[in-house]
């Protein structure tokens, strides 16, 4: 990631932390909200505009740089061995998912059948793995980056595919809180790459929304899973009547 891109991402996190929206920034810069969204998406924010936004945030430009460097030290991905350690311990796995999603100590303890001693033991393990910092009074400071992800094809993704994916799709997706979209079309390699970039922006928006609502009481928030996937793929259902085979190379896949 370029320094400019990292700086803009840090600025967006600072805005979310103080409860500001694109509409607020648009008002400060005397632009339309659509223009502001485009500036942030393209990472094209001039120094003059950065200074205006920082001034509104009561934030020195040097403090923004420091925050960017702090963000760069956050964990973006675990090693294979670290993920395996988590997935091998069911309780540790549960606590890891909770803290990554912003649960507080008391929320984990009250929502699941884990004693305080068990919770602390697992949190100390996650601290050793650099995922969190356990502070006095059992406060939890996450050390994961905004773009943190489980390893593609790693132990936790494999666990999801083997044990959770089938259960996840056993739904009609007809409730107000559910939605399933299956899109089919023909794309070039360039088109596929562009669509994956759009999917990544959607993933970033999902994480941003979770962050904005992180201060709401837990009883007002619900576990929400979103699966975004794209691949060059043809169902074996029609393999016997297909005149052309899909390429033998490994399919392009992106998942959340």
């Amino acid at each position: 990631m370029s320094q400019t891109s990292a700086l803009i991402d840090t600025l967006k996190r600072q805005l979310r932390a103080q409860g500001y929206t694109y509409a607020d920034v648009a008002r400060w810069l005397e632009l339309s909200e659509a223009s502001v969204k485009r500036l942030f998406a393209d990472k094209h924010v001039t120094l003059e505009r950065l200074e205006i936004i920082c001034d509104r945030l009561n934030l020195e430009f040097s403090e923004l740089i420091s925050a960017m460097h702090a963000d760069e030290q956050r964990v973006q991905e675990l090693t294979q061995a670290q993920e395996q350690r988590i997935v091998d311990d069911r309780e540790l796995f549960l606590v890891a998912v909770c803290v990554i999603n912003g649960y507080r100590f008391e929320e984990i303890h009250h929502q699941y059948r884990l004693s305080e001693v068990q919770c602390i033991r697992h949190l100390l393990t996650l601290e050793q793995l650099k995922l969190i910092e356990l502070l006095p009074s059992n406060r939890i400071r996450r050390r994961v980056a905004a773009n943190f992800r489980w390893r593609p094809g790693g132990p936790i993704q494999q666990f999801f595919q083997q044990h959770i994916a089938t259960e996840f799709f056993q739904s009609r997706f007809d409730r107000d809180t559910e939605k399933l979209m299956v899109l089919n079309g023909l794309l070039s390699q360039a088109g596929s790459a562009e669509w994956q970039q759009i999917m990544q922006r959607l993933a970033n928006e999902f994480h941003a929304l979770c962050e904005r609502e992180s201060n709401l009481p837990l009883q007002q928030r619900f576990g929400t899973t979103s699966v975004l996937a794209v691949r060059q793929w043809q169902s074996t259902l029609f393999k016997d009547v297909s005149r052309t085979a899909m390429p033998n190379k490994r399919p392009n896949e992106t998942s959340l």
Side-chain angles (χ1 to χ4, degrees):
M1 178 185 295
S2 70
Q3 290 245 309
T4 301
S5 180
L7 187 65
I8 298 303
D9 287 343
T10 300
L11 180 62
K12 289 168 67 177
R13 284 191 283 276
Q14 293 292 325
L15 286 163
R16 290 196 295 269
Q18 296 193 32
Y20 291 113
T21 65
Y22 286 124
D24 295 312
V25 178
R27 188 172 64 256
W28 302 338
L29 300 180
E30 298 181 349
L31 297 171
S32 68
E33 187 173 345
S35 296
V36 170
K37 288 182 178 180
R38 191 158 50 249
L39 288 176
F40 278 94
D42 295 339
K43 314 290 186 184
H44 289 159
V45 182
T46 64
L47 182 59
E48 180 182 359
R49 285 170 173 167
L50 278 175
E51 290 176 340
I52 292 173
I53 298 172
C54 285
D55 184 61
R56 292 286 185 165
L57 295 175
N58 195 26
L59 185 71
E60 295 289 340
F61 192 72
S62 59
E63 292 176 312
L64 181 64
I65 298 293
S66 297
M68 179 190 72
H69 290 317
D71 287 338
E72 289 174 343
Q73 300 303 314
R74 292 176 177 268
V75 177
Q76 295 182 349
E77 186 175 283
L78 297 179
T79 66
Q80 183 88 2
Q82 288 173 323
E83 281 202 6
Q84 193 63 56
R85 184 176 179 184
I86 290 175
V87 84
D88 285 343
D89 186 326
R90 182 184 174 194
E91 288 183 2
L92 179 62
F93 191 7
L94 170 64
V95 175
V97 171
C98 285
V99 297
I100 287 173
N101 287 325
Y103 277 58
R104 300 178 181 87
F105 177 87
E106 60 273 13
E107 292 171 339
I108 301 172
H109 175 54
H110 290 306
Q111 185 156 334
Y112 299 101
R113 296 177 184 175
L114 296 175
S115 68
E116 290 191 7
V117 172
Q118 288 173 304
C119 284
I120 292 173
R121 176 165 56 85
H122 294 311
L123 290 172
L124 288 172
T125 299
L126 296 177
E127 185 174 47
Q128 292 174 358
L129 295 175
K130 309 297 185 184
L131 279 177
I132 67 164
E133 182 179 355
L134 190 57
L135 303 174
S137 301
N138 294 326
R139 289 180 295 117
I140 301 168
R141 177 183 293 161
R142 288 179 293 172
R143 297 186 62 186
V144 295
N147 61 343
F148 174 83
R149 66 171 186 174
W150 301 117
R151 295 176 66 84
I156 291 180
Q157 190 179 88
Q158 289 181 30
F159 180 89
F160 172 84
Q161 292 171 338
Q162 294 170 7
H163 302 285
I164 301 176
T166 301
E167 177 185 344
F168 178 84
F169 287 106
Q170 286 181 346
S171 171
R172 294 174 59 184
F173 292 93
D174 56 358
R175 300 177 182 174
D176 291 340
T177 56
E178 299 178 331
K179 191 175 186 65
L180 175 65
M181 297 179 67
V182 179
L183 309 175
N184 292 296
L186 300 176
L187 289 175
S188 65
Q189 288 293 105
S192 177
E194 182 177 348
W195 176 240
Q196 290 181 50
Q197 291 174 359
I198 293 171
M199 290 171 64
Q200 184 58 56
R201 289 200 292 271
L202 287 174
N204 294 341
E205 290 294 330
F206 178 83
H207 291 305
L209 182 57
C210 291
E211 190 69 25
R212 287 201 299 272
E213 295 199 330
S214 62
N215 291 324
L216 292 175
L218 188 61
Q219 58 268 28
Q220 293 183 24
R221 294 179 286 148
F222 309 94
T224 303
T225 299
S226 181
V227 178
L228 308 176
V230 60
R231 61 182 297 194
Q232 294 178 356
W233 175 80
Q234 187 177 58
S235 172
T236 57
L237 180 65
F238 307 109
K239 186 177 180 179
D240 60 328
V241 294
S242 176
R243 291 183 180 273
T244 58
M246 293 296 289
N248 291 326
K249 61 183 179 181
R250 183 177 178 81
N252 293 328
E253 299 181 356
T254 300
S255 62
L256 167 64

